[in-house]
Amino acid sequence: MTLGGDGRGSRTLDQIAVGSSWSAVVIRNLTRGQIVQYAGASGDFNPLHTDEPYATQVAGYPSVFAHGMLTMALTGTAITDLFGAGSMTRFGGRFRAQVWPDDTLTVDVRVVDLEPGDALASLEVTTTNQNQIVVFQGTATVTIGAPNKV
Amino acid sequence: MSDNAEVVFRVEPLQITLFARAIGDEHPAYVNAPQLAPPTFTESLQHVLPDYRFRPRANRPWIGTGGVAGEAETPATTPASETTLHAEQRFEYHQRIEAGAELFATTREGSTWQKEGRAGTMRFFERITEFRDARGQLVLTSTLVGVTVPTAAEAS
């Protein structure tokens, strides 16, 4: 986190402005083990993610690949680390490319709008892999400096 | 699942812990009481959907490799020449979700559309799941956009 601190603090209005941006590496060298761990946690055991012979021989992919929702969840950590857990009021995006074992993902977060009255920030988020391929692209709205935020 | 069939989704503390570990985020808020649920936690609903097709069941045919012979009881809705991928996802958060909550989830189909891609026709569909509390107040809205593409084609 380029903002300093422990990367887990809530941001306050005077620390951000339209155009402020940050980036964070959210996963280094993703393991098949973590993909399986996510399958177990989410309940999604789709063999495209958990069954290498199925992914390669039946479905024709080079290997298993991560759930899109794992990529989205990893992306979300870059936002909640900046603005606090429970800060999001909206979060959405498109899965632009598959995430493979050994991938390293970097999330770029950019403030595109601020509503000081409501202390809301609109964010654009882009997640890229180690080859600068965009794997997830989306938006989020967060509350800033709300009381009782973690 | 069929439209509007209500599913009870209990937010178990250990499930929050397991989910937070799986997304590599053991934020104190997800660890310490009252244990907030991470933003995408409601994906765990898949564990309690009664006819969820990506849950292996022992001694029954499975859509992946191995297992006993036969047609999977909840077969793929698409032929082998096609693959359904998650194209887009949107969450709207109306209330915080903490451990111990009991939520009620209903899913309905949304819009469908199609467009031509490099590898052929891509057919999109929306699936909207609403989570409500015991008073019927909306807690979270989850909108999935899926796309069915020729097998091994890239998602758009």
Side-chain angles (χ1 to χ4, degrees), chain B residues 1-11 42-52 55 101-108 128-134 139-140:
Chain B
M1 66 185 286
S2 54
D3 269 15
N4 300 320
E6 188 174 85
V7 174
V8 179
F9 180 60
R10 294 186 179 86
V11 181
T42 48
E43 289 299 291
S44 304
L45 178 70
Q46 290 155 166
H47 280 296
V48 291
L49 295 178
D51 55 357
Y52 184 61
R55 180 188 312 138
E102 185 173 66
L103 304 179
F104 301 86
T106 54
T107 299
R108 59 188 160 86
I128 302 154
T129 301
E130 291 181 340
F131 294 79
R132 294 176 183 272
D133 64 17
V139 175
L140 182 147

Side-chain angles (χ1 to χ4, degrees), chain B residues 105-134:
Chain B
T106 54
T107 299
R108 59 188 160 86
E109 301 300 322
S111 306
T112 60
W113 66 97
Q114 64 181 49
K115 65 181 186 183
E116 295 302 315
R118 283 164 301 180
T121 302
M122 301 184 293
R123 301 197 309 275
F124 292 86
F125 59 91
E126 269 185 338
R127 191 165 293 152
I128 302 154
T129 301
E130 291 181 340
F131 294 79
R132 294 176 183 272
D133 64 17

Side-chain angles (χ1 to χ4, degrees), chain A residues 31 37 41 45 55 59 72 80 84 89 103 116 124 135 140:
Chain A
T31 61
Q37 190 178 23
F45 292 89
M72 185 171 187
T80 51
T89 60
D103 275 1
E124 285 180 355
V135 296

Side-chain angles (χ1 to χ4, degrees), chain A residues 8 26 34 37-48 50-51 53-54 58-61 65 68-70 72-74 76-77 80-81 84-98 100 136 147-150, chain B residues 15 18-19 21-30 36 39-40 43-47 52 54-56 62-66 80 83-94 96 115 124 145 149-156:
Chain A
R8 297 219 178 268
V26 292
Q34 189 170 355
Q37 190 178 23
Y38 183 78
S42 67
D44 179 354
F45 292 89
N46 186 331
L48 288 173
T50 58
D51 185 337
Y54 178 89
V58 180
Y61 290 97
F65 55 91
M69 288 309 300
L70 174 55
M72 185 171 187
L74 292 166
T77 65
T80 51
D81 276 0
S87 61
M88 283 201 267
T89 60
R90 287 173 177 268
F91 183 29
R94 296 175 66 189
F95 304 104
R96 299 279 306 274
Q98 269 101 1
W100 305 99
F136 179 85
N148 195 33
K149 194 164 71 204
V150 181
Chain B
Q15 181 60 24
L18 299 179
F19 196 90
R21 286 179 184 167
I23 65 170
D25 189 1
E26 294 183 62
H27 192 296
Y30 309 146
L36 193 63
T40 63
E43 289 299 291
S44 304
L45 178 70
Q46 290 155 166
H47 280 296
Y52 184 61
F54 294 126
R55 180 188 312 138
W62 166 237
I63 56 171
T65 59
T83 301
T84 297
L85 298 169
H86 199 163
E88 185 174 339
Q89 177 67 36
R90 297 188 294 272
F91 293 101
E92 289 174 64
Y93 305 100
H94 311 288
R96 292 164 72 106
K115 65 181 186 183
F124 292 86
V145 178
V149 296
T151 291
E154 293 297 313
S156 70

Side-chain angles (χ1 to χ4, degrees), chain A residues 3-141:
Chain A
L3 270 181
D6 63 1
R8 297 219 178 268
S10 303
R11 299 299 117 184
T12 57
L13 263 178
D14 58 2
Q15 290 174 290
I16 65 166
V18 172
S20 297
S21 60
W22 305 272
S23 63
V25 176
V26 292
I27 188 74
R28 295 179 195 277
N29 307 106
L30 175 69
T31 61
R32 285 173 172 77
Q34 189 170 355
I35 296 172
V36 171
Q37 190 178 23
Y38 183 78
S42 67
D44 179 354
F45 292 89
N46 186 331
L48 288 173
H49 308 306
T50 58
D51 185 337
E52 190 90 11
Y54 178 89
T56 57
Q57 295 162 30
V58 180
Y61 290 97
S63 75
V64 292
F65 55 91
H67 306 71
M69 288 309 300
L70 174 55
T71 301
M72 185 171 187
L74 292 166
T75 299
T77 65
I79 299 168
T80 51
D81 276 0
L82 282 166
F83 293 96
S87 61
M88 283 201 267
T89 60
R90 287 173 177 268
F91 183 29
R94 296 175 66 189
F95 304 104
R96 299 279 306 274
Q98 269 101 1
V99 171
W100 305 99
D102 294 325
D103 275 1
T104 292
L105 302 183
T106 300
V107 179
D108 292 295
V109 182
R110 180 179 171 83
V111 179
V112 293
D113 194 22
L114 277 176
E115 295 177 37
D118 297 319
L120 288 174
S122 299
L123 312 174
E124 285 180 355
V125 289
T126 304
T127 307
T128 51
N129 67 15
Q130 66 282 4
N131 300 316
Q132 285 70 55
I133 292 170
V134 174
V135 296
F136 179 85
Q137 191 160 34
T139 58
T141 306

